[in-house]
Amino acid sequence: MAEVLVLVDHVDGEVKKVTTELLTAARRIGEPSAVWVGDGAENGKAALAEFGAEKVYTAPAELNDYVVAPTAQLLAELAQDKGAAAILVSATAGNKEIAGRAAVKLGSGVLTDVVDVNSEVVTEHSIFGGATVTHGRVKTGVPVVAVRPNSFVPEAASGAGAEEAVSVDLPDAAKGAKVVERVVEEQGERPELTEAAVVVSGGRGVGEGKFDVVEQLADTLGAAVGASRAVVDSGWYPNQFQVGQTGKTVSPNLYIALGISGAIQHRAGMQTAKNIIAVNKDPEAPIFELADFGVVGDLHTVAPQLTEEINKRK
Amino acid sequence: MEKINEPRYPSFKLIMQAKKKPVDEKTAADVGIETDRIGLANATTETVDFAAAPPRAAGTIVKDEGDGGTKAADFLAEKKFV
């Protein structure tokens, strides 16, 4: 069976959940081979093998000294050497650029924001804010697929996890943009918005300075906090938490919308969530068309009660 | 994004002037693009099919009568989130 290269997302040796999703998806196509760029592979290797990685290619941390190009070079060369059936990456901004560059080097095509994939590498995409489903494929060469986080349920399957060190000779062109500094973003204890399994979002109905009602519910569920555009524009909550067309697209298992009416621009960012709960005063709010469970009422009484109930049942 | 700057809208006079400018048409080959790599026939990806997403099944909507949070928690319990 042909190898399927999976670019590993990791933070200091800890494998991100999305990588286990990619490994699960890769097993449908062929034999997953994880590609680890940077240090810490010895710590993360076990987690990769647990989700079916037969091989773990490790590349020196030097590749991360430059922006995206070296990793793209590495993936393209590996794909050629190993006769890979496909390359899978998570659909982050940086990885999508890597995917594009790798595909150009391979003379193949890229499929981005993929939500499902079959054994023939025909991919499913959820477009127009989730209103339309399309299927796509790459016609020539090794398909490069950028998969949206939370699209697959990770399933464990033991793999050999055989480590193999690889390196790549970097042409000067790949060294065009150097990384001069890395700053870790302060984000506290909560999970990253786009990768979180549960997201609790607040909208205009929350009110200025009252976001702690959203945060408390989020923390009881171990969820990420999101916000609607109205909230971000009013300066009630920071920009990077905006969910919607001009913000982030999330696809969690559970999305709780508090005081969000559900404008089409917001729905575009969250309607692929598997379960949606909405709390809103207005029974006509469009968010209720999407909701699996809706409560018409004041979120300032419903949300604290929900928080309390969850704590009781834990 | 719309906060970045103020667009400079052309005046009527400028629009009329622009209409008189020569338009230089070139083919892809003129500008050195390999014609066997462009166009639909040479695209590396294709859309196999597309369809409207299946509508979400209608959910349960309840009116809060002092127990909205409890009912929501029941829903979460039913779905095994708590």
Side-chain angles (χ1 to χ4, degrees):
Chain A
M1 212 167 14
E3 290 184 34
V4 178
L5 301 179
V6 173
L7 181 63
V8 178
D9 286 343
H10 62 91
V11 181
D12 302 331
E14 200 178 318
V15 177
K16 287 206 178 183
K17 178 170 163 272
V18 62
T19 300
T20 62
E21 295 167 18
L22 293 184
L23 288 168
T24 305
R27 295 206 302 269
R28 295 184 186 171
I29 305 164
E31 216 168 68
S33 298
V35 180
W36 187 293
V37 181
D39 297 325
E42 56 281 0
N43 298 326
K45 211 169 56 176
L48 298 172
E50 209 177 302
F51 285 91
E54 293 295 337
K55 286 185 187 160
V56 179
Y57 296 116
T58 59
E62 180 212 350
L63 266 60
N64 285 333
D65 290 346
Y66 304 93
V67 181
V68 300
T71 305
Q73 181 85 22
L74 173 77
L75 287 177
E77 285 187 17
L78 270 179
Q80 257 163 354
D81 288 355
K82 311 291 177 187
I87 300 176
L88 303 189
V89 303
S90 65
T92 61
N95 281 354
K96 282 194 250 188
E97 192 175 341
I98 289 171
R101 285 168 179 263
V104 168
K105 288 180 200 301
L106 290 164
S108 67
V110 188
L111 298 157
T112 62
D113 284 319
V114 165
V115 296
D116 203 0
V117 63
N118 72 7
S119 59
E120 305 293 313
V121 207
V122 172
T123 55
E124 187 170 302
H125 308 249
S126 175
I127 65 161
F128 299 151
T132 303
V133 175
T134 68
H135 291 92
R137 67 180 192 93
V138 171
K139 292 199 290 191
T140 171
V142 184
V144 187
V145 181
V147 179
R148 213 181 258 181
N150 282 327
S151 297
F152 293 89
V153 179
E155 286 163 27
S158 68
E163 195 174 331
E164 186 181 321
V166 291
S167 65
V168 60
D169 289 327
L170 295 180
D172 285 342
K175 296 181 182 176
K178 194 168 168 44
V179 177
V180 291
E181 193 186 4
R182 286 193 158 78
V183 181
V184 179
E185 191 184 355
E186 296 276 346
Q187 56 170 18
E189 298 292 300
R190 297 196 188 100
E192 216 279 313
L193 188 55
T194 51
E195 292 168 8
V198 182
V199 174
V200 182
S201 282
R204 201 194 300 271
V206 176
E208 186 168 9
K210 293 180 187 157
F211 240 72
D212 51 345
V213 68
V214 179
E215 290 179 339
Q216 278 161 13
L217 179 55
D219 290 341
T220 1
L221 289 161
V225 173
S228 73
R229 174 156 181 197
V231 165
V232 170
D233 279 357
S234 313
W236 298 350
Y237 217 66
N239 207 291
Q240 69 265 35
F241 297 102
Q242 187 184 329
V243 172
Q245 198 164 35
T246 48
K248 293 194 169 131
T249 303
V250 298
S251 187
N253 273 329
L254 173 64
Y255 187 89
I256 303 184
L258 302 174
I260 293 177
S261 65
I264 184 74
Q265 292 83 355
H266 185 77
R267 293 162 56 160
M270 46 65 77
Q271 65 183 345
T272 52
K274 283 146 204 100
N275 293 284
I276 298 172
I277 295 187
V279 181
N280 206 305
K281 269 187 200 165
D282 175 10
E284 304 292 323
I287 191 81
F288 288 124
E289 290 163 21
L290 285 183
D292 297 292
F293 191 85
V295 181
V296 180
D298 184 358
L299 73 97
H300 289 287
T301 58
V302 176
Q305 190 180 40
L306 177 55
T307 309
E308 197 182 312
E309 279 292 325
I310 293 167
N311 279 329
K312 249 191 255 171
R313 296 179 196 200
K314 261 185 187 169
Chain B
M1 198 66 96
E2 69 268 31
K3 292 172 189 166
I4 284 182
N5 57 20
E6 193 63 41
R8 287 179 296 146
Y9 296 104
S11 65
F12 184 70
K13 193 176 151 218
L14 289 172
I15 295 172
M16 294 314 286
Q17 277 178 4
K19 285 188 176 167
K20 295 203 186 81
K21 299 284 178 193
V23 177
D24 187 7
E25 281 187 29
K26 290 188 191 304
T27 65
D30 289 341
V31 291
I33 294 170
E34 296 164 54
T35 47
D36 57 349
R37 295 183 64 184
I38 58 171
L40 186 61
N42 298 306
T44 55
T45 56
E46 68 177 357
T47 301
V48 178
D49 60 27
F50 60 91
R56 291 185 82 99
T60 320
I61 311 292
V62 299
K63 201 172 170 340
D64 180 32
E65 282 155 348
D67 58 354
T70 314
K71 281 182 179 159
D74 289 341
F75 174 81
L76 287 181
E78 191 190 310
K79 296 280 180 183
K80 311 249 185 287
F81 283 107
V82 285

